[in-house]
Amino acid sequence: MKRYHIVNLQELHEKKVRDILDDKQMWNLPMVEKDADIETVLSILTSRDHVWVVEKRGGKKLCGIITESDILRLISPTRLPKYVFGKKYSISLQYGTARRASDIMHKQLITCSPDETIGNVLMRMVNARVRRCPVVENDEIMGEITVHYILQILLGKR
Amino acid sequence: MLLEIGVALLLAKILGFAFEKLKQPAVIGEILTGIVVGPFIAGKLFGMKYLSPVTEGLGEMGIILLLFISGLEIGVDEIKTAGKKGLLTSLFDVSIAFLFGVIAGHILGYDIRTSIAIGNIMVATSVGITVRTLMEMHALHSKVGELILTVAVLDDVLGIVVLSITLGQGEPAMLIFKIFIFFLIFMAAVLIIRRMRGIKIGIPRLMLTAAIAFAFIFSAVAVDLGLAAVTGAFFAGLIFSNLPQRRRIDDFMRQMGEVFLIPLFFIWVGASFDFNALGDMGKLVLLFIPMALMGKIIGCSAGAKVCGFRARDALAVGVGMMPRMEVALVVVTIEMSMKIFNDALAHQVLASTILLVIVSSLITPPLLKIVYRGESSEKQGS
């Protein structure tokens, strides 16, 4: 069995986010514009576990995220909570109220900047219970820190 | 008292679930629990003493949490994107519903302060039951469904504003000044929190603690300014709705609220139900419930019609906005604590509001199914 070289964790924590981002990752980022229809979003999520929502097609201005767990809620039978406020619980695939990416995305994001240390970002991800964190500079997405990506670096695959 | 709280929470869960199975709001089960554990049933049969300053205090915390969650889930974004139609319909709705309440009070011979207090109870809609019905009818995505959802959002906000203005303490000029000060504090908090978004503080769960703390601090500030505590809690929720941690705060608050503090509020409402009030409330209830229902039907229908909806669809919007629930009960509780009603009237108004909650929940689904015609809604170009 092939053994991977595990980099020093302390060293990784002290590295800047910018140091581990590569162009390949940016090309491969799952992105969709906020006006994209729900079918487009769902088809991207058949092969990815999340998709970043940007303002315009081809642009990088980040405005939200849609994750697998959002879709799980959309495809499962709709169940309203005891106390209903706002429109949040009315967004449903079954009842036709989820039509565009902007209907289902989370607008408030936990982000990081390219100049932060990996250790800080990982700590924030643990505290906020998120598994992916966009790298943002001037409101534009530059890349993402995900558990998969960090594992690839940790095992020397990148 | 510990035993009473434990038993009440368990019973509320079971009755709430049973009512949900019957396609009725769980809140009615919780209120019923209060009636069962209150002085007239468990009190007489087993000597249970549910009503105490402690359960009242826990109920008040439940109110704060409920309104904080309401502000957090509605959020600034939904208010901003409500649009002209939503705003116009909501203004018609709130003003006419409020006016109908005031007129009902006037007809019954109450003074102006009491009549205004009755008007306040009639303002806020609870849209949960309508959303369930629209889902069953596959009409949630229709123009009627969309307008109901939007108006319900604005309804809560305007309801809080109306409550603050009409029940605020002090001279009118002073009150306007105090509301202005509160608004300035709110805007300052929004700006400070927006600025702080970029600052990373490494204290675990700081945001959760800050959210609860702010809910109480803002409520206290509102009370100090002569406004209702719920106004502060609602606006604190709005402030936190702009944060990246919104979802986590919401999950946490919902868990704590739904499992513990909010049911205790509704149980307390039920336990405060006075069977002796039933005998004298005939005239009140005969006017209170029809006026509450008609106020919404006329107000919302007029608003929707002005916005270009066909008469039948406009009527469907009005019918869909009839249910009252959480906020109406919160308002009546606040007004009771402010001693706006005398003792006997307080129990009558509370009982009438509970009956309004039950009646409006029961009649809205069948009425909406009769009134709403999907085809006309889909054809309409508005």
Side-chain angles (χ1 to χ4, degrees):
Chain A
M1 191 179 140
K2 186 179 175 184
R3 284 187 64 82
Y4 294 105
H5 166 68
I6 298 180
V7 298
N8 184 320
L9 207 51
Q10 178 83 29
E11 250 174 51
L12 181 69
H13 287 165
E14 285 166 8
K15 271 190 178 175
K16 294 270 170 72
V17 169
R18 193 185 295 280
D19 299 334
I20 64 161
L21 290 182
D22 58 35
D23 290 344
K24 199 174 142 196
Q25 192 212 39
M26 187 61 206
W27 296 334
N28 204 20
L29 270 187
M31 289 202 280
V32 71
E33 69 275 16
K34 71 174 184 184
D35 290 330
D37 56 38
I38 194 74
E39 287 81 5
T40 309
V41 174
L42 295 180
S43 74
I44 293 173
L45 287 165
T46 53
S47 56
R48 308 296 291 254
D49 64 4
H50 68 285
V51 57
W52 300 108
V53 184
V54 288
E55 199 71 31
K56 284 182 198 159
R57 175 177 272 190
K60 288 188 192 169
K61 193 174 177 196
L62 185 64
C63 51
I65 185 176
I66 300 165
T67 66
E68 258 181 347
S69 64
D70 300 321
I71 300 302
L72 178 63
R73 211 170 302 141
L74 272 189
I75 58 175
S76 60
T78 309
R79 187 181 168 276
L80 291 175
K82 269 200 288 189
Y83 319 112
V84 182
F85 301 109
K87 296 180 180 174
K88 180 180 165 185
Y89 297 99
S90 316
I91 303 298
S92 153
L93 202 58
Q94 194 178 352
Y95 299 106
T97 44
R99 293 174 210 162
R100 314 215 160 271
S102 55
D103 291 335
I104 55 172
M105 69 182 185
H106 286 284
K107 293 174 198 158
Q108 289 85 11
L109 299 172
I110 303 284
T111 62
C112 66
S113 78
D115 294 317
E116 278 184 73
T117 61
I118 305 289
N120 265 348
V121 177
L122 292 178
M123 246 168 36
R124 191 172 318 132
M125 288 168 70
V126 170
N127 284 340
R129 294 182 193 168
V130 294
R131 285 180 293 166
R132 50 199 77 81
C133 182
V135 184
V136 176
E137 198 169 43
N138 301 325
D139 291 339
E140 293 195 338
I141 185 164
M142 313 284 294
E144 62 179 10
I145 301 294
T146 64
V147 176
H148 285 152
Y149 193 67
I150 293 292
L151 282 179
Q152 285 172 4
I153 291 170
L154 204 58
L155 296 172
K157 284 179 160 184
R158 275 184 188 265
Chain B
M1 197 245 329
L2 295 176
L3 178 72
E4 279 87 345
I5 291 176
V7 170
L9 279 175
L10 260 180
L11 190 61
K13 187 77 196 163
I14 294 165
L15 286 182
F17 180 73
F19 269 79
E20 274 186 344
K21 283 285 161 203
L22 294 170
K23 295 191 175 177
Q24 290 303 316
V27 170
I28 298 179
E30 291 170 354
I31 296 171
L32 195 63
T33 302
I35 294 174
V36 173
V37 301
F40 289 90
I41 298 179
K44 279 193 179 150
L45 293 177
F46 312 111
M48 271 176 88
K49 285 181 184 162
Y50 185 80
L51 288 176
S52 73
V54 175
T55 50
E56 188 179 347
L58 288 170
E60 280 172 12
M61 286 190 190
I63 295 178
I64 301 288
L65 218 57
L66 187 76
L67 268 292
F68 180 84
I69 293 170
S70 163
L72 188 70
E73 292 191 351
I74 287 175
V76 178
D77 283 348
E78 277 193 23
I79 298 171
K80 275 188 197 164
T81 55
K84 278 183 199 166
K85 284 181 184 174
L87 187 62
L88 195 63
T89 310
S90 194
L91 285 173
F92 267 92
D93 159 32
V94 168
S95 44
I96 293 177
F98 175 74
L99 199 65
F100 268 55
V102 176
I103 292 170
H106 185 71
I107 293 171
L108 290 164
Y110 302 138
D111 60 47
I112 187 66
R113 191 166 155 79
T114 307
S115 302
I116 285 174
I118 291 174
N120 280 329
I121 300 168
M122 299 193 177
V123 171
T125 294
S126 170
V127 80
I129 193 98
T130 303
V131 169
R132 277 187 190 94
T133 313
L134 289 170
M135 280 176 171
E136 278 175 29
M137 295 160 65
H138 289 272
L140 199 58
H141 63 288
S142 64
K143 298 279 177 194
V144 168
E146 278 180 7
L147 187 65
I148 288 175
L149 288 174
T150 307
V151 176
V153 166
L154 294 176
D155 229 33
D156 282 351
V157 183
L158 291 177
I160 295 287
V161 173
V162 171
L163 182 78
S164 300
I165 295 171
T166 55
L167 292 187
Q169 288 165 345
E171 292 298 311
M174 196 59 190
L175 185 62
I176 291 168
F177 178 68
K178 284 173 176 177
I179 291 171
F180 178 68
I181 296 284
F182 181 77
F183 187 69
L184 281 185
I185 295 171
F186 169 71
M187 290 309 291
V190 169
L191 287 176
I192 291 169
I193 287 193
R194 194 175 290 171
R195 284 280 164 94
M196 285 181 70
R197 282 172 73 158
I199 301 170
K200 317 294 180 195
I201 306 168
I203 305 175
R205 299 187 175 187
L206 174 65
M207 269 305 155
L208 298 182
T209 307
I212 298 177
F214 260 82
F216 285 102
I217 291 169
F218 247 71
S219 303
V221 169
V223 171
D224 276 353
L225 287 170
L227 309 174
V230 290
T231 309
F234 181 81
F235 278 88
L238 282 183
I239 292 169
F240 278 81
S241 72
N242 264 339
L243 288 179
Q245 293 86 352
R246 177 188 187 176
R247 187 162 36 156
R248 195 165 163 230
I249 295 170
D250 191 19
D251 289 346
F252 175 71
M253 290 293 200
R254 274 241 169 222
Q255 277 188 18
M256 191 167 64
E258 283 195 5
V259 172
F260 182 44
L261 289 171
I262 302 175
L264 285 183
F265 163 62
F266 291 114
I267 294 166
W268 188 83
V269 167
S272 304
F273 185 91
D274 185 350
F275 281 87
N276 296 326
L278 288 174
D280 304 319
M281 60 185 276
K283 254 188 353 184
L284 173 66
V285 93
L286 278 177
L287 205 60
F288 184 86
I289 295 177
M291 288 294 259
L293 302 178
M294 289 309 291
K296 282 286 169 184
I297 293 178
I298 294 172
C300 291
S301 303
K305 191 80 186 79
V306 168
C307 291
F309 275 65
R310 294 179 182 197
R312 189 142 192 147
D313 290 343
L315 184 62
V317 173
V319 170
M321 292 292 290
M322 284 195 313
R324 312 299 210 286
M325 190 75 61
E326 302 93 346
V327 181
L329 292 165
V330 167
V331 171
V332 75
T333 310
I334 292 168
E335 291 174 344
M336 283 168 71
S337 70
M338 290 173 79
K339 307 275 179 211
I340 291 175
F341 313 114
N342 63 40
D343 262 6
L345 182 60
H347 288 295
Q348 289 174 23
V349 174
L350 179 69
S352 301
T353 310
I354 292 174
L355 285 176
L356 171 64
V357 165
I358 296 169
V359 170
S360 63
S361 301
L362 285 174
I363 67 168
T364 298
L367 266 184
L368 193 57
K369 282 175 187 168
I370 292 168
V371 169
Y372 179 70
R373 290 280 178 269
E375 302 78 28
S376 66
S377 166
E378 295 311 319
K379 279 176 200 164
Q380 142 189 309
S382 55

